[in-house]
Amino acid sequence: MSFLTDLVHSPYQGDHNTGAVVPPIYTATTYAFKDVDGPERFDYSRSGNPTRQALEDQVAKLEAGHAAFAFASGMAAIHGALAIFEKGDHIIVGQQIYGGTFRLIYNYFLRWGLEVTAVDTRKPEEIRAAIRANTKAIYFEPLTNPLLQVTSVKQIAALAQKYGLLTIVDNTFLTPYLQQPLKLGADIVIHSATKYLAGHSDVSAGIVVVKDSYLAKRVYFNQNALGGILSPQDANLVRRGIQTLALRMDRQIANTQAIITFLKTRPEITQINYPYQPDQAGFDIIQAESKGLGALFSFELATSVDVAKFVSSLKLINLAVSLGAVETLIELPYKMSHAELSDAELATAGISKQLIRLAVGIEDVQDLIADLTQALDIACQK
Ligand SMILES: Cc1ncc(COP(=O)(O)O)c(C=O)c1O
């Protein structure tokens, strides 16, 4: 079956008991044993739940993985994945990974004895230089937020394999619709399913997908032991969201392209970070490894324009963090999503105070462009 059909039907989305065309939400926390030798499949909802299992099987299939594990948030999923490592292990991480992941690693896992080196994953020589005898994995996001710097999954996975390291990819921004990192050589894929997979800004969720039974055993142990599981109700919302993933992303990408075409006509826009043209860094990698660039991008306004006035003058577009949902969201990274960074860290990361991030939704793009136009006009007034 094609990926588009799999989104809707795979694995079997119905209920064998009743013929219902979607799986039921099983709320039971415990399951009757047939006899003292044990239950048939499920015994306790933290350890396994049929509704959560339906979602896990669905995402495992879409990511071409061996198994998937659903957690109560993207951060809980990242915790569950990184907890496969042991005291004294060393991991290499991308310098521009999500700030919450950085916080989890530096303010939590370091206390438990994990060692870490942050590098620019676009540069294999930096990765090679960081590898030590105790290095176990490379963790990165193929497309960074908010600057959309591109790292090749294929290149990193080949390097990791050469040195016997795991490749762990946060695929939140591209989703399996645009990129399937396991097929490119990665070992573990992580999602903040709060974003594109669920798609409606109404559920927090995270998923870990693994490529083999060895990793499945280790992540399952963490899911069950840590207990940060996704509820059956939320698992059903994510499962349902995924069925329309391609439809939503197609519209979001088309809207993104139209908005970028519009922004290029405005002299106040000094930079657009969305590598969609051959002369832009990362374009070749995206062409080779991904079906598209997604619907998140950033742009800079000239220093003469009041950025705060611009974003506060929007009437349709919400001023909010997060991304990947049906509604368009705009934010100022230095004040919102990346507010914990010092001025020096912002400068190193290349995030200026004129940078704006737009997560494009599925609205009529002419309404979005009209909203951006009127807000730009207000912000440009002296
Ligand atoms: C790339 C990425 N990974 C992980 C997370 C964490 O996910 P959650 O907010 O669902 O815990 C986020 C949140 O914004 C993210 O952008």
Side-chain angles (χ1 to χ4, degrees):
M1 290 287 172
S2 92
F3 185 88
L4 297 180
T5 304
D6 279 346
L7 279 175
V8 180
H9 289 287
S10 183
Y12 174 64
Q13 290 275 323
D15 172 18
H16 287 293
N17 292 329
T18 61
V21 298
V22 297
I25 299 174
Y26 286 95
T27 56
T29 53
T30 192
Y31 294 79
F33 282 46
K34 286 238 159 51
D35 54 49
V36 290
D37 289 331
E40 297 220 312
R41 168 68 189 83
F42 299 99
D43 61 353
Y44 185 59
S45 58
R46 172 162 43 72
S47 313
N49 168 283
T51 313
R52 192 172 82 227
Q53 182 78 55
L55 168 68
E56 293 172 335
D57 291 347
Q58 182 188 27
V59 181
K61 168 90 173 140
L62 296 172
E63 283 285 10
H66 172 79
F69 303 92
F71 292 81
S73 68
M75 288 319 306
I78 295 167
H79 185 198
L82 294 182
I84 66 172
F85 298 114
E86 295 184 8
K87 186 172 179 219
D89 284 348
H90 172 247
I91 61 169
I92 297 169
V93 301
Q95 258 162 7
Q96 304 283 338
I97 55 174
Y98 172 61
T101 310
F102 240 95
R103 181 175 53 205
L104 177 70
I105 292 171
Y106 280 87
N107 297 347
Y108 178 86
F109 276 111
L110 287 199
R111 287 195 280 117
W112 293 90
L114 195 68
E115 297 171 17
V116 64
T117 307
V119 303
D120 183 342
T121 49
R122 291 171 300 173
K123 301 179 181 153
E125 65 279 9
E126 283 199 19
I127 297 177
R128 257 185 235 108
I131 295 174
R132 308 177 191 162
N134 58 340
T135 305
K136 293 291 186 311
I138 307 174
Y139 180 109
F140 67 102
E141 295 167 18
L143 206 56
T144 64
N145 165 26
L147 296 178
L148 275 80
Q149 294 169 346
V150 183
T151 289
S152 162
V153 177
K154 244 185 181 165
Q155 192 176 41
I156 302 282
L159 185 63
Q161 275 162 19
K162 192 167 156 204
Y163 290 91
L165 315 178
L166 292 175
T167 301
I168 307 177
V169 174
D170 183 330
N171 197 28
T172 298
F173 298 137
L174 289 173
T175 83
Y177 179 44
L178 299 179
Q179 186 173 79
Q180 292 164 303
L182 298 180
K183 285 191 179 167
L184 298 169
D187 301 284
I188 299 179
V189 166
I190 292 171
H191 283 278
S192 166
T194 313
K195 311 294 183 337
Y196 290 100
L197 295 187
H200 293 75
S201 300
D202 59 2
V203 55
S204 278
I207 313 251
V208 180
V209 191
V210 296
K211 81 153 192 224
D212 61 28
S213 58
Y214 173 73
L215 290 170
K217 231 181 187 168
R218 299 183 71 183
V219 176
Y220 174 69
F221 175 85
N222 295 340
Q223 184 192 39
N224 189 37
L226 293 166
I229 46 156
L230 190 62
S231 74
Q233 291 83 356
D234 286 346
N236 185 59
L237 283 177
V238 180
R239 180 205 61 75
R240 183 172 68 166
I242 287 171
Q243 291 183 299
T244 57
L245 175 68
L247 279 177
R248 287 184 281 109
M249 283 201 104
D250 284 347
R251 170 70 75 84
Q252 287 167 316
I253 291 168
N255 282 358
T256 301
Q257 288 163 351
I259 290 171
I260 287 175
T261 303
F262 156 73
L263 290 176
K264 287 181 89 173
T265 68
R266 295 288 302 214
E268 312 85 358
I269 313 296
T270 55
Q271 165 81 21
I272 296 177
N273 301 308
Y274 192 74
Y276 70 114
Q277 285 177 333
D279 59 338
Q280 290 174 292
F283 174 84
D284 290 347
I285 298 169
I286 287 291
Q287 288 291 106
E289 299 184 12
S290 169
K291 283 200 207 77
L293 258 177
L296 178 85
F297 74 101
S298 60
F299 59 95
E300 300 239 2
L301 282 177
T303 47
S304 55
V305 183
D306 184 335
V307 280
K309 201 166 171 189
F310 167 60
V311 293
S312 334
S313 302
L314 291 159
K315 295 189 173 122
L316 170 64
I317 298 171
N318 285 296
L319 178 61
V321 294
S322 201
L323 56 119
V326 289
E327 62 278 329
T328 300
L329 304 175
I330 202 161
E331 65 121 3
L332 292 183
Y334 92 94
K335 251 190 171 328
M336 298 170 70
S337 60
H338 294 65
E340 76 278 9
L341 299 189
S342 66
D343 280 357
E345 287 167 332
L346 286 169
T348 308
I351 298 171
S352 84
K353 294 192 173 170
Q354 295 300 107
L355 187 74
I356 289 163
R357 186 185 82 183
L358 197 60
V360 181
I362 65 168
E363 302 94 334
D364 185 325
V365 75
Q366 292 314 322
D367 289 335
L368 296 173
I369 289 172
D371 197 26
L372 291 165
T373 304
Q374 64 82 24
L376 272 175
D377 290 344
I378 292 172
C380 290
Q381 280 162 17
K382 290 275 172 239

